[in-house]
């Protein structure tokens, strides 16, 4: 960590405060009556400056440091020898990939992975803050882990990920779950060895959350989940500030990795035999905007197109930045798959305006037409929020009609969830929850119908499937995804796991396809 980071960091340390973990019940009851500020000043020597939403909004494009010098401090290099770790991941692919990085760091410290909470020496909850129910799940899990922690005081229990970037969450953990050992934010992952050291030897709760915009650390180790598909971060953060969304605050500003670093990682994955990569970013279409060169996602995809890896996906796209260059490059096909996830959020231009999405219904439809012209077989999927504050029946109907007009083959649908600190959370909302639930049900029924119809068209067709393994429901059955991301179940020898094979579809369901293996291994062009 350099001096600048040190100054900008908002590290919280308990210093010579009482040991939170050994608080008696009586003390805990007293604690519960304290305000957040009182709690903070009681426990922390340094001034606590919480993640600051106003500051996040005024951030500048410059000042991203790229580091290539990550190393595990000498004293922590063997700290995990003979010990086990478990990371529970909530939320999006970005979190899954962060978990792979944390697993890489812990493995390099000598820890082994386990699925059993009882044999873990360190348990990390990598959390998601996107909706309230995601947060509730995590608080539920912290509660479940309390007896284990009390039974095994040496167990290190940590909370990280997006929720840790929220002041209210940090306060709630301090107040109600003082047995937690470690809280760290999304910008602090590379500090894990040092934080564990402090949690191990300090016998105090360690909290380190930086609300700064975040740097890029290039050489972090990773233990990838499997040898077939891999995530590749191309950028971090988001500068869009949609009025409902917490991500720009929890993940920092948009910052792109250098193209050469990404290409090197993809080449390396290809050489290791990975069959599919997914380029990741909160808003991948903004890739390159912050670089000092004229280079965008289209340019990057064009270079990746030439690498010998059979399948390349990317997520998540923002319609506003989906430019002609990218469409032109995607239209080349080859390893660039024609499945595009393009979150629309609403079909009403008025709602889109108050969501600050920066496009209208017509803009979105125009973009869809352009994509379809260039890629006639492209599959489109989306994200939709219903029950945004004061969304009228007519505005909701516009979402329904847009779903039909575009013909989305699937959609992630959500009821709006107010997130503290976002503009929309402050607005009055005159739509009762029953109305929102009824809208979600109608929308889901329409999406299911469209998905089933799209699946029907595959009946009798031969599709290429990347075989991922045994099906979750039946170990006798193999499963994998088509180029257009449809899950296919079929019987075949285990030896084809990790290969791309041809499967003839014999039966279609709403979300999955059943089929028969046509031939063993397909050559990929
Ligand atoms: N409430 C409901 N859904 C949300 N999303 C983001 N923020 C919220 C919120 N506050 C949804 C959006 C986004 C997806 C990842 O989660 O649809 O695209
Ligand atoms: Fe959130 Fe996506 Fe909007 Fe960024 S673009 S603020 S991540 S919904």
């Amino acid at each position: 960590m350099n001096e600048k980071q040190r100054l900008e960091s908002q590290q919280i340390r308990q210093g010579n405060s009482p040991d939170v973990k050994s608080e008696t019940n009586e003390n805990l009851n007293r604690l519960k009556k304290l305000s957040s500020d009182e709690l903070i000043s009681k426990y922390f020597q340094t001034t606590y400056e919480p993640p600051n939403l106003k500051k996040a909004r005024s951030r500048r494009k410059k000042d991203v440091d790229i580091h290539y010098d990550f190393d595990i401090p000498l004293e922590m290099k063997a700290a995990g020898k003979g010990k086990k770790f478990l990371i529970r991941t909530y939320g999006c692919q970005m979190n899954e990939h962060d978990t792979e990085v944390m697993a890489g760091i812990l493995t390099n410290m000598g820890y082994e992975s386990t699925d059993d909470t009882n044999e873990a020496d360190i348990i990390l909850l990598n959390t998601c803050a996107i909706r309230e129910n995601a947060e509730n799940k995590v608080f539920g899990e912290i509660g479940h882990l309390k007896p284990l922690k009390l039974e095994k005081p040496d167990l290190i229990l940590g909370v990280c990920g997006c929720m840790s970037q929220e002041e209210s969450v940090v306060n709630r953990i301090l107040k109600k779950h003082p047995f937690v050992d470690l809280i760290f934010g999304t910008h602090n992952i590379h500090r894990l060895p040092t934080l564990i050291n402090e949690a191990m030897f300090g016998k105090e709760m360690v909290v380190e959350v930086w609300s700064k915009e975040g740097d890029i650390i290039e050489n972090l180790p990773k233990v990838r989940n499997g040898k077939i598909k891999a995530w590749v971060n191309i950028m971090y953060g988001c500068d869009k500030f949609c009025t409902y969304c917490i991500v720009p605050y929890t993940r920092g500003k948009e910052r792109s990795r250098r193209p050469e670093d990404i290409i090197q990682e993809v080449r390396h994955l290809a050489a290791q035999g990975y069959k599919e990569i997914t380029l990741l970013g909160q808003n991948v279409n903004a890739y390159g905007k912050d670089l000092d060169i004229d280079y965008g996602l289209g340019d990057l995809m064009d270079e990746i197109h030439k690498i010998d890896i059979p399948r390349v996906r990317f997520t998540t796209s923002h319609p506003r930045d989906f430019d002609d260059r990218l469409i032109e490059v995607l239209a080349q096909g080859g390893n660039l798959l024609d499945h595009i996830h393009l979150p629309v959020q609403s079909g009403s231009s008025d709602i889109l305006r108050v969501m600050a999405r920066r496009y209208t219904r017509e803009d979105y439809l125009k973009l869809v037409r352009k994509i379809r012209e260039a890629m006639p077989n492209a599959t489109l999927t989306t994200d939709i929020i219903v029950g945004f504050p004061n969304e009228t029946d007519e505005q909701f109907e516009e979402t329904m009609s847009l779903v039909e007009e575009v013909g989305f083959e699937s959609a992630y649908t959500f009821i709006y969830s107010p997130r503290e600190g976002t503009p929309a959370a402050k607005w009055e909302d005159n739509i009762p929850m029953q109305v929102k639930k009824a809208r979600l049900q109608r929308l889901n029924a329409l999406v299911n119908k469209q998905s089933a119809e799209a699946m029907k068209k595959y009946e009798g067709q031969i599709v290429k499937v990347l075989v991922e393994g045994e099906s979750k429901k039946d170990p006798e059955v193999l499963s994998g995804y088509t180029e257009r991301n449809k899950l296919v179940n079929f019987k075949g020898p285990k030896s084809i796991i990790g290969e791309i094979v041809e499967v003839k579809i014999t039966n279609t369901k709403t979300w999955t396809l059943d089929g028969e293996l046509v031939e063993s291994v397909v050559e990929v062009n």
Side-chain angles (χ1 to χ4, degrees):
M1 185 168 63
N2 63 31
E3 199 48 33
K4 184 175 133 242
Q5 281 177 314
R6 202 175 290 285
L7 289 171
E8 284 177 347
S9 76
Q10 295 161 0
Q11 299 177 30
I12 314 166
R13 292 286 180 281
Q14 265 186 261
N16 57 4
S17 59
D19 185 351
V20 177
K21 288 182 242 171
S22 61
E23 287 288 356
T24 62
N25 277 345
E26 195 187 319
N27 275 346
L28 283 177
N29 284 337
R30 261 194 302 112
L31 268 180
K32 282 181 191 155
K33 294 194 189 104
L34 294 178
S35 73
S36 302
D37 287 350
E38 285 166 333
L39 193 69
I40 296 290
S41 61
K42 173 177 162 65
Y43 277 100
F44 300 102
Q45 280 185 320
T46 46
T47 323
Y48 173 55
E49 197 190 333
N52 185 322
L53 306 186
K54 272 202 191 111
K55 255 194 193 167
R57 286 182 140 251
S58 64
R59 60 207 182 189
R60 288 158 299 149
K61 283 262 176 217
K62 297 261 178 301
D63 299 341
V64 174
D65 290 330
I66 305 184
H67 303 264
Y68 294 88
D69 56 357
F70 171 81
D71 200 8
I72 294 170
L74 198 62
E75 70 276 17
M76 293 308 285
K77 279 205 159 120
K81 245 188 156 194
K83 293 185 179 165
K84 298 201 167 158
F85 75 87
L86 185 155
I87 308 177
R88 208 145 263 168
T89 314
Y90 301 80
C92 66
Q93 296 99 329
M94 195 65 74
N95 264 18
E96 297 207 9
H97 191 44
D98 283 350
T99 290
E100 294 181 333
V101 171
M102 291 191 283
I105 295 175
L106 291 168
T107 305
N108 272 267
M109 290 167 69
Y111 285 96
E112 270 176 56
S113 125
T114 177
D115 291 333
D116 181 357
T117 46
N118 292 311
E119 59 173 39
D121 299 282
I122 173 162
I123 298 178
L124 299 178
L125 305 182
N126 188 6
T127 63
C128 169
I130 200 108
R131 281 169 293 277
E132 196 185 356
N133 55 3
E135 294 203 355
N136 290 343
K137 270 192 217 157
V138 171
F139 279 115
E141 184 61 14
I142 295 176
H144 284 144
L145 291 170
K146 182 177 179 180
L148 186 69
K149 171 68 198 173
L150 296 182
E151 205 181 286
K152 265 177 82 174
D154 286 340
L155 166 71
I156 294 178
L157 178 57
V159 178
C160 56
C162 287
M163 279 171 67
S164 327
Q165 295 289 139
E166 293 179 284
E167 180 191 359
S168 57
V169 169
V170 175
N171 285 339
R172 185 167 160 189
I173 296 176
L174 283 167
K175 229 172 168 174
K176 300 212 171 130
H177 309 281
F179 52 91
V180 168
D181 302 276
L182 174 61
I183 306 174
F184 60 100
T186 55
H187 306 316
N188 307 73
I189 289 176
H190 62 290
R191 300 254 308 139
L192 190 54
T194 304
L195 298 175
I196 292 177
N197 190 19
E198 288 174 15
M200 262 179 183
F201 300 109
K203 291 279 169 210
E204 298 161 342
M205 194 196 288
V206 177
V207 184
E208 184 174 286
V209 180
W210 298 344
S211 71
K212 71 190 289 286
E213 293 94 339
D215 288 335
I216 295 180
I217 321 282
E218 271 303 334
N219 65 324
L220 290 169
K222 300 172 186 98
V223 172
R224 296 191 189 267
N225 189 9
K227 303 238 168 286
I228 305 168
K229 303 207 288 192
W231 312 113
V232 177
N233 266 130
I234 62 166
M235 61 182 303
Y236 304 91
C238 179
D239 282 348
K240 282 284 186 283
F241 291 101
C242 300
T243 52
Y244 51 82
C245 187
I246 194 75
V247 168
Y249 313 103
T250 60
R251 287 278 170 180
K253 73 176 172 187
E254 279 174 4
R255 49 208 196 279
S256 305
R257 289 178 68 198
R258 308 285 315 172
E260 58 274 21
D261 292 329
I262 298 169
I263 286 161
Q264 191 190 33
E265 184 173 346
V266 176
R267 285 219 174 97
H268 187 58
L269 289 166
Q272 287 177 289
Y274 280 88
K275 295 289 188 322
E276 179 176 309
I277 55 159
T278 302
L279 307 179
L280 279 187
Q282 242 80 41
N283 173 14
V284 280
N285 308 82
Y287 175 77
K289 285 187 167 182
D290 57 316
L291 294 174
D292 49 8
I293 46 173
D294 183 18
Y295 193 90
L297 182 63
D299 303 305
L300 181 69
M301 297 290 276
D302 201 22
E303 290 199 55
I304 291 178
H305 173 63
K306 293 167 200 145
I307 299 177
D308 186 16
I309 193 146
R311 291 182 168 192
V312 179
R313 302 183 192 274
F314 60 103
T315 196
T316 287
S317 294
H318 191 293
R320 162 92 185 194
D321 297 322
F322 210 107
D323 59 25
D324 293 351
R325 166 84 176 126
L326 178 61
I327 297 176
E328 172 197 309
V329 169
L330 291 177
Q332 298 174 80
N335 61 0
L336 308 180
L337 303 183
D338 52 4
H339 165 222
I340 295 171
H341 187 68
L342 194 60
V344 64
Q345 313 298 2
S346 167
S348 150
S349 294
D350 287 336
I351 293 289
L352 289 170
R353 188 169 36 78
V354 283
M355 284 178 164
R357 291 291 289 178
R358 305 185 220 181
Y359 56 84
T360 61
R361 173 191 176 96
E362 290 68 36
D363 294 336
Y364 188 90
L365 289 171
K366 199 170 145 199
L367 175 61
V368 168
R369 277 195 295 274
K370 254 199 224 171
I371 294 174
R372 287 253 156 84
E373 267 163 35
M375 289 176 266
N377 295 321
T379 289
L380 286 171
T381 57
T382 198
D383 292 350
I384 296 169
I385 297 175
V386 301
F388 196 67
N390 311 314
E391 180 193 56
T392 64
D393 282 336
E394 292 73 28
Q395 288 165 337
F396 170 67
E397 293 307 330
E398 288 188 79
T399 297
M400 294 287 281
S401 69
L402 181 115
V403 168
E404 276 187 285
E405 195 167 336
V406 176
F408 293 116
E409 293 192 9
S410 86
Y412 294 104
T413 56
F414 312 101
I415 290 181
Y416 165 71
S417 169
R419 305 284 63 216
E420 196 182 320
T422 60
K426 299 184 194 80
W427 301 340
E428 288 220 353
D429 183 1
N430 61 15
I431 311 295
M433 187 46 91
Q434 305 98 282
V435 173
K436 297 186 185 214
K437 285 188 178 161
R439 286 181 188 166
L440 184 71
Q441 264 185 5
R442 274 191 59 209
L443 177 62
N444 285 346
L446 176 62
V447 171
N448 289 356
K449 179 173 141 273
Q450 290 189 187
S451 174
E453 282 166 7
M455 293 303 218
K456 265 264 162 289
K457 294 192 187 131
Y458 284 98
E459 188 118 30
Q461 278 193 27
I462 291 176
V463 290
K464 286 180 183 170
V465 177
L466 172 55
V467 191
E468 290 188 20
E470 294 167 4
S471 120
K472 280 189 188 133
K473 288 190 191 143
D474 182 352
E476 293 300 303
V477 172
L478 297 176
S479 74
Y481 286 86
T482 68
E483 291 176 345
R484 304 220 173 92
N485 219 26
K486 310 287 186 208
L487 183 62
V488 183
N489 292 311
F490 63 100
K491 288 208 165 129
K494 305 258 185 295
S495 56
I496 58 170
I497 292 175
E499 303 297 338
I500 294 173
V501 300
E502 291 198 330
V503 176
K504 182 166 185 192
I505 302 305
T506 51
N507 184 29
T508 70
K509 298 177 178 158
T510 304
W511 298 111
T512 59
L513 301 167
D514 293 335
E516 284 165 2
L517 186 63
V518 174
E519 59 182 79
S520 281
V521 181
V522 175
E523 278 302 308
V524 178
N525 50 9

